[in-house]
Amino acid sequence: MDKQNDKQVEDGETPVMPSASGKGLNLAWPHVINLLVLTLVAFALFAPGISSLPLTDRDEALYVQASHQMLETGNWVDIRFQDEPRYKKPAGIYWIQAAAAEITGYGKDAPLWVYRLPSLFGSVLMVMFTYGIGATLGTPRAGLFAGLLSASAMLLGFEAHIAKTDAMLCATVLASEFALARAYVDPARKRSLPRNALFWTAIGVGILIKGPITPLIAGLTLLAVSAKERSAALWRSLSPLRGTLWMLLLVLPWLIAIGWISRGAFFSQAVGHDMLGKVASGQESHGAPPGMHLLVALGTFWPLSVLVPLAIVQAWKARREPAIFFLIAWVVPGWLVFEAVATKLPNYVLPFMPALAILVALLLDSGALGTARRGWRISVAFIAIGAVLVGFGLNIAFLIYQGYASWQGLVGAVVVAGLGFMASRLLASGRLLPGVAATVAAAGGLMLLGYAILLPAAQQLWLSDDLAKAVASVRRCDSPAVSVVGYGEPSAVFRLGTTTLRTTAPVAAEAFLANDCAVAIVAAEARDDFMAALGEGEKPLEPATTVSGRNLNGMKLRTMLLFVKP
């Protein structure tokens, strides 16, 4: 096959693509070995840093604190951040994070890294399902390439390290697409209980995590394939009646319960304000014109993104091939929908990254993409360029904000740059497997450099952590009443405690006076208002200590004064 494809490339023809027959998953041992390799690689890429990276604002802190409060209160139905309802998303991810805390034995005392475990395992599942789809549509080798390339994507590495919805949500998308791919390659379109159970369970769990996203993407894939085939055979093969009943059995109990408890407020907030609001307008300063997802993905999908433009050209030539068309049906309709939505965040298109990894892998495996293609050497050179720019760019940012250089960071940047150049050189010479391995190593080096070395060491960026340490050092009792003025980041609540009062200077002063043991954390610019609200005493109250720093969200430099009673 490779010789035939090389000849076709030389003659300007499109090489023969693997047929989507499903034979790639018939032999057990290659898959066991490949999945074991991918699992080890994924954990090696994603695990370093989840315990050392401080809590990020705002989304991660909101999710973690709400899950923490589930454990504190025992209320697993009504989602809350302090006393505020969290009705933007369903309860699924909070359940999973709280369950991780219970399973590990920590309970409500769980450290931050425990809440990040679902994102870690969700990312590993994404890599494994990417392999499964690649091997289903092509060969085990194609599946291995696809899994490695998806694991190396910067955006997936980021989502694996923080406790949000996206990694687990994308795992449900990949599970549903895997089931669809298995049904798609079956010419008889027979019904399969395990496959269909996976599909409808993934849809149900996806709804419980983030509402309509998983059924939307799977549904658009199914619709596009059915339209091309002019047949509903694929839909019927999924046991739609029984599957829908099972999916409703999964999601309806909580939806009914939260609808009753919130008196309908959950649906008005989640659907009316959050979902439809994001469609109509750019919420939270995240509005952007159509095409922005495509532009941003060039960076967030790196190093995979350097091969995608060439792969798209070849995919268009081979668009009638069943395997290629399935990937087109997966990516194009959903991507267009997200480009049309007014609110745009990089993670919105993460569910399509594995499809692009599989596309590149199929083309690499078949010989349709490689050294004979015009632009190949330029494309793979961007692996080295990206490794240099990001590695040394992180060190420059560290120097700017910390005021000194990190020798560990500089050494890491040099190593990453070397791996990037090695990857580019190997791929340029046509040595695909070692080239892909070096690419993964370069990407993994950047993840290690950022999440395990530089970001944890950048003390100026983690003001909430510094405040928690300062309170622990100056408090006069075990559980002081803590008020915060001029700094409202949710990470402060997780670090200082659920009862932390984020408020104005007069209210903080009132709480300070009303409690025998209290700590007031006041922004320097609010000091006069706080002192005026306290009233005149025998002698002016002086701060016990001062903490200065930034928060990664906004990067504004703040000076906070800590007043202690008694």
Side-chain angles (χ1 to χ4, degrees):
M1 177 69 77
D2 289 341
K3 292 182 178 179
Q4 177 187 0
N5 285 337
D6 291 342
K7 180 66 167 60
Q8 287 177 316
V9 170
E10 292 172 2
D11 293 340
E13 301 175 10
T14 300
V16 175
M17 293 298 302
S19 62
S21 63
K23 292 181 180 179
L25 280 183
N26 286 343
L27 300 176
W29 278 111
H31 302 302
V32 172
I33 295 171
N34 287 343
L35 285 170
L36 180 60
V37 168
L38 288 172
T39 300
L40 294 174
V41 169
F43 276 110
L45 291 176
F46 304 147
I50 68 163
S51 62
S52 57
L53 179 68
L55 182 62
T56 61
D57 281 301
R58 291 185 175 105
D59 284 351
E60 183 186 27
L62 289 168
Y63 282 111
V64 169
Q65 177 60 27
S67 300
H68 174 65
Q69 285 181 217
M70 275 189 172
L71 295 163
E72 283 185 322
T73 64
N75 186 344
W76 290 54
V77 177
D78 195 15
I79 315 157
R80 291 189 173 267
F81 176 85
Q82 293 191 301
D83 293 329
E84 303 168 10
R86 283 281 293 165
Y87 291 160
K88 290 187 175 183
K89 301 290 186 296
I93 194 61
Y94 306 100
W95 288 346
I96 299 171
Q97 290 179 355
E102 293 285 17
I103 291 170
T104 55
Y106 287 102
K108 63 183 179 62
D109 298 319
L112 174 59
W113 65 266
V114 171
Y115 294 99
R116 288 172 168 166
L117 288 178
S119 293
L120 172 62
F121 284 98
S123 300
V124 174
L125 284 174
M126 281 186 67
V127 173
M128 296 175 73
F129 278 121
T130 301
Y131 171 82
I133 300 170
T136 295
L137 299 177
T139 66
R141 182 172 180 256
L144 181 61
F145 281 156
L148 291 171
L149 290 171
S150 68
S152 69
M154 290 292 102
L155 183 56
L156 182 55
F158 172 74
E159 295 296 343
H161 283 86
I162 59 174
K164 298 205 301 97
T165 57
D166 296 286
M168 284 302 300
L169 172 75
C170 289
T172 67
V173 173
L174 267 289
S176 65
E177 293 290 345
F178 173 70
L180 272 180
R182 296 299 298 163
Y184 177 71
V185 300
D186 180 9
R189 297 287 160 86
K190 295 179 181 178
R191 295 184 177 184
S192 166
L193 178 59
R195 181 196 69 205
N196 294 349
L198 174 64
F199 178 81
W200 290 106
T201 300
I203 296 294
V205 174
I207 291 172
L208 286 172
I209 290 175
K210 207 170 184 178
I213 303 302
T214 299
L216 172 68
I217 296 172
L220 288 173
T221 305
L222 180 62
L223 186 62
V225 171
S226 299
K228 178 180 181 293
E229 295 179 345
R230 298 182 181 181
S231 169
L234 182 58
W235 168 247
R236 289 193 296 268
S237 72
L238 295 171
S239 305
L241 179 58
R242 293 180 179 179
T244 301
L245 291 174
W246 169 243
M247 180 267 293
L248 291 175
L249 185 63
L250 291 175
V251 303
L252 280 182
W254 181 79
L255 290 176
I256 293 170
I258 193 62
W260 177 269
I261 290 173
S262 69
R263 298 182 180 180
F266 170 79
F267 298 106
S268 62
Q269 284 289 319
V271 179
H273 177 72
D274 189 61
M275 186 179 74
L276 296 181
K278 288 178 178 177
V279 172
S281 61
Q283 289 190 348
E284 300 172 359
S285 303
H286 295 309
M292 184 57 67
H293 279 310
L294 191 63
L295 182 63
V296 172
L298 293 175
T300 58
F301 287 3
W302 184 92
L304 168 66
S305 58
V306 306
L307 300 176
V308 169
L310 288 179
I312 290 174
V313 173
Q314 298 307 312
W316 178 251
K317 295 177 182 178
R319 62 189 179 276
R320 292 183 177 84
E321 294 288 342
I324 299 299
F325 182 80
F326 181 85
L327 298 174
I328 292 172
W330 177 356
V331 173
V332 174
W335 196 294
L336 290 176
V337 168
F338 287 116
E339 290 287 9
V341 171
T343 303
K344 290 180 174 63
L345 288 169
N347 53 281
Y348 286 4
V349 294
L350 180 59
F352 308 115
M353 180 275 294
L356 297 174
I358 296 166
L359 173 63
V360 170
L362 291 176
L363 294 169
L364 289 174
D365 185 52
S366 68
L369 196 61
T371 56
R373 287 295 170 195
R374 183 178 300 173
W376 172 259
R377 292 179 180 272
I378 295 175
S379 295
V380 298
F382 279 95
I383 296 174
I385 293 170
V388 171
L389 290 179
V390 178
F392 285 98
L394 287 172
N395 277 275
I396 291 172
F398 184 91
L399 176 62
I400 291 172
Y401 287 107
Q402 287 297 115
Y404 64 91
S406 164
W407 70 265
Q408 299 100 321
L410 290 172
V411 170
V414 171
V415 172
V416 167
L419 290 170
F421 278 105
M422 181 188 302
S424 294
R425 187 175 182 84
L426 288 169
L427 290 172
S429 65
R431 300 173 65 185
L432 293 182
L433 187 55
V436 170
T439 300
V440 173
L446 282 179
M447 294 178 196
L448 184 68
L449 179 63
Y451 302 124
I453 298 176
L454 291 180
L455 281 173
Q459 296 298 320
Q460 280 289 309
L461 304 184
W462 312 109
L463 180 56
S464 294
D465 286 39
D466 291 340
L467 291 175
K469 293 174 184 176
V471 169
S473 67
V474 302
R475 68 187 183 186
R476 301 289 191 266
C477 61
D478 291 336
S479 300
V482 180
S483 304
V484 183
V485 179
Y487 179 68
E489 297 298 341
S491 60
V493 177
F494 182 74
R495 290 305 190 192
L496 297 171
T498 302
T499 58
T500 299
L501 186 63
R502 298 177 299 160
T503 187
T504 61
V507 176
E510 182 180 350
F512 190 80
L513 293 171
N515 288 276
D516 294 331
C517 182
V519 176
I521 304 172
V522 182
E525 59 270 21
R527 176 176 182 168
D528 291 343
D529 292 338
F530 178 72
M531 298 301 294
L534 283 178
E536 296 183 2
E538 295 183 358
K539 61 179 181 178
L541 185 65
E542 294 295 328
T545 188
T546 300
V547 177
S548 296
R550 306 174 190 269
N551 185 276
L552 198 60
N553 182 47
M555 301 300 289
K556 179 182 176 180
L557 181 62
R558 293 179 171 91
T559 298
M560 308 298 294
L561 312 176
L562 274 71
F563 298 92
V564 182
K565 179 184 178 182

